[in-house]
Amino acid sequence: MIQKIALVLVMLLLSGCWDRVEIDQRGFVTGVAVDKGGVTEKQDQEAPNGIPAYRGTYQIIVPAGLKQSGSSKEVSSTSTGGTYFNISAFGNSMPSVSSAIAAETSRAPYFEHLKIITISSELAKGSSNIADIMDYFLRDNEIRRGVKILITDGLAKDVLSVESLNEKYPIAYIESTINNIKNNNAMVPATRIGDLHEQLLKNNAYVIQRISSAHGKVSLTGAAVIDNKNRFIGFLSDEETQGLNLLKGDVKGGTLEVKLDGQILDFNFDNEHSRITSVLEGNEVQKFMIAITAEGNLGKTAEQLDLTKLSNVNLLQQAIEKQIVHVCETTIHTLQNRYQIDVIGLGEYLNQNHYRLWTTVEDNWNSGEHRFANIPVEVHASVDIRRIGDINRSE
């Protein structure tokens, strides 16, 4: 009896290794770019059976190359050396793209180390394309919930070929740049695949971080506006993105330029918060009010402005408050008039605080009657300047 039990235990231990894949047989994918299946004449000629839905490009790391010194260079799938290579394939679904790539490289794609997924804005305009692409990655148990999603202004595959500067490969460079939101408030917080999964299950509009590439460099300022049907409808400019961050209380740092008496001064944010309230009458929203409070210090002062005088400090604070209101009102005007889409979170506020009222306007908030676009939004700002100082008068 004891021998039989021992035999069963040995068989159980041996069965755990049947699907093991050696590490040198894995293709470590760190970045994925997805474009429309035929966006150029050359790609149309390359594409089999007409024009498939997607062209996927994977950035695969060459582990041996990471140990080499020198700058990182993109290499083809057939060359040796380098730290990474980009490889593309066509398909009508992401599983078919991965299968096609697996047939062209000696190492099957492995997504446990995936960092970034970029989707072209042209592709994201489709009514179900974002959801279809995310469905593949959300179902893969190798994918981590912290994978970041970006919408590209231009071809997504071009992002994977930018200069990596002080990093060893482009995806590492882009991921590091994403974290600079503490130094630039024209960047929206990173959208992770777990966050996007929640948005796909809701009927809300939202924004995704924008990325563009030119001359081998990338820019991560601005935001892609996604409507309540998960379709890309346009970009917010740097100033409009700054206003959106202020309205949502998402400013973690960065600078606001302010004009006072013909001079430009810089206000550096230390922290910022926003609070939404509403004025109701019966079963109608008369207006929203957003109160913004901010603390910070001056990154640049003016020679003619004596900041040792309290009256001048008050003038400067008022100028900063006025500029904050102006930037926010610019964003609100764009969202209400150009896009008619609420990405500020006013609908979410009604859902949480006035649920019965929300149920009456929900279906016509971002579509139909576009109720969001017709409700006034007032912005009020209160600023406290810390550590003013004046280097022109210090001894």
Side-chain angles (χ1 to χ4, degrees):
M1 183 65 181
I2 295 176
Q3 291 179 340
K4 291 181 178 180
I5 294 174
L7 181 60
V8 171
L9 291 175
V10 170
M11 292 176 65
L12 289 174
L13 290 173
L14 291 176
S15 65
C17 303
W18 69 272
D19 62 344
R20 185 179 68 180
V21 178
E22 298 296 339
I23 191 170
D24 61 353
Q25 296 176 1
R26 294 188 185 276
F28 295 99
V29 181
T30 59
V32 171
V34 191
D35 292 293
K36 290 186 69 173
V39 293
T40 68
E41 182 179 351
K42 181 181 179 181
Q43 288 178 0
D44 290 348
Q45 295 172 354
E46 294 173 355
N49 301 322
I51 304 176
Y54 304 129
R55 175 179 179 134
T57 304
Y58 291 2
Q59 184 162 114
I60 299 178
I61 294 299
V62 180
L66 293 175
K67 298 179 181 180
Q68 300 174 359
S69 59
S71 61
S72 302
K73 300 293 183 182
E74 180 182 1
V75 297
S76 69
S77 58
T78 58
S79 65
T80 59
T83 59
Y84 72 95
F85 63 88
N86 295 337
I87 184 168
S88 299
F90 293 92
N92 286 313
S93 65
M94 289 310 298
S96 63
V97 168
S98 290
S99 296
I101 287 178
E104 296 181 19
T105 179
S106 59
R107 300 177 182 182
Y110 180 62
F111 295 107
E112 187 170 340
H113 297 279
L114 182 63
K115 303 294 184 184
I116 291 173
I117 299 171
T118 62
I119 304 173
S120 72
S121 56
E122 190 66 26
L123 179 63
K125 290 178 181 178
S127 59
S128 62
N129 286 342
I130 293 178
D132 286 347
I133 293 168
M134 288 301 105
D135 181 71
Y136 171 66
F137 293 104
L138 288 167
R139 290 177 183 275
D140 194 323
N141 58 13
E142 295 173 356
I143 303 294
R144 301 180 183 183
R145 303 289 282 185
V147 175
K148 299 176 180 66
I149 312 298
L150 302 169
I151 300 294
T152 63
D153 186 1
L155 288 177
K157 72 181 186 65
D158 290 347
V159 171
L160 301 187
S161 301
V162 299
E163 292 183 44
S164 49
L165 298 179
N166 57 333
E167 302 293 343
K168 289 195 172 184
Y169 51 96
I171 287 299
Y173 164 58
I174 295 169
E175 186 181 32
S176 297
T177 307
I178 289 174
N179 296 328
N180 288 335
I181 187 173
K182 293 183 179 179
N183 302 309
N184 191 319
N185 49 47
M187 298 165 55
V188 295
T191 302
R192 293 171 172 81
I193 196 170
D195 304 325
L196 184 54
H197 188 195
E198 292 182 14
Q199 296 293 354
L200 292 173
L201 298 175
K202 298 178 180 178
N203 193 35
N204 295 339
Y206 52 97
V207 295
I208 297 178
Q209 195 166 27
R210 168 185 175 268
I211 184 171
S212 59
S213 61
H215 309 296
K217 303 294 190 300
V218 297
S219 172
L220 286 159
T221 57
V225 181
I226 312 297
D227 70 8
N228 56 316
K229 303 298 183 183
N230 298 304
R231 299 171 300 189
F232 166 79
I233 58 173
F235 289 110
L236 294 179
S237 68
D238 291 4
E239 183 184 43
E240 291 163 350
T241 303
Q242 185 181 49
L244 179 64
N245 284 331
L246 286 165
L247 291 166
K248 298 180 70 174
D250 284 339
V251 172
K252 308 300 181 185
T255 301
L256 179 74
E257 287 191 348
V258 180
K259 288 185 179 180
L260 183 62
D261 294 333
Q263 300 178 81
I264 297 178
L265 300 93
D266 293 329
F267 176 72
N268 297 329
F269 288 93
D270 287 334
N271 60 72
E272 182 263 345
H273 303 279
S274 66
R275 181 172 178 268
I276 300 173
T277 56
S278 60
V279 176
L280 309 179
E281 186 174 315
N283 203 33
E284 296 288 337
V285 182
Q286 296 301 308
K287 67 178 178 179
F288 288 103
M289 294 177 292
I290 302 178
I292 296 172
T293 58
E295 291 185 358
N297 58 82
L298 295 180
K300 175 187 175 184
T301 59
E303 290 185 20
Q304 292 85 357
L305 192 64
D306 184 0
L307 294 178
T308 61
K309 295 181 179 180
L310 182 59
S311 58
N312 287 337
V313 174
N314 290 334
L315 283 174
L316 180 55
Q317 289 186 162
Q318 291 170 12
I320 296 171
E321 291 167 354
K322 183 177 179 180
Q323 181 63 15
I324 288 176
V325 171
H326 168 72
V327 170
C328 291
E329 288 179 344
T330 299
T331 303
I332 293 168
H333 182 270
T334 298
L335 293 174
Q336 289 191 322
N337 292 275
R338 187 194 306 171
Y339 298 134
Q340 296 186 308
I341 291 294
D342 172 24
V343 295
I344 302 171
L346 301 179
E348 194 69 23
Y349 163 82
L350 291 178
N351 185 21
Q352 294 176 1
N353 297 276
H354 305 284
Y355 180 72
R356 290 186 178 179
L357 188 153
W358 173 243
T359 57
T360 66
V361 300
E362 180 179 8
D363 293 339
N364 289 297
W365 191 249
N366 288 315
S367 56
E369 298 176 7
H370 289 280
R371 300 289 291 275
F372 158 73
N374 299 308
I375 299 176
V377 182
E378 290 183 4
V379 180
H380 304 275
S382 176
V383 170
D384 194 357
I385 304 176
R386 304 292 189 185
R387 302 187 303 278
I388 297 172
D390 195 335
I391 63 173
N392 294 322
R393 291 178 172 78
S394 61
E395 296 183 9

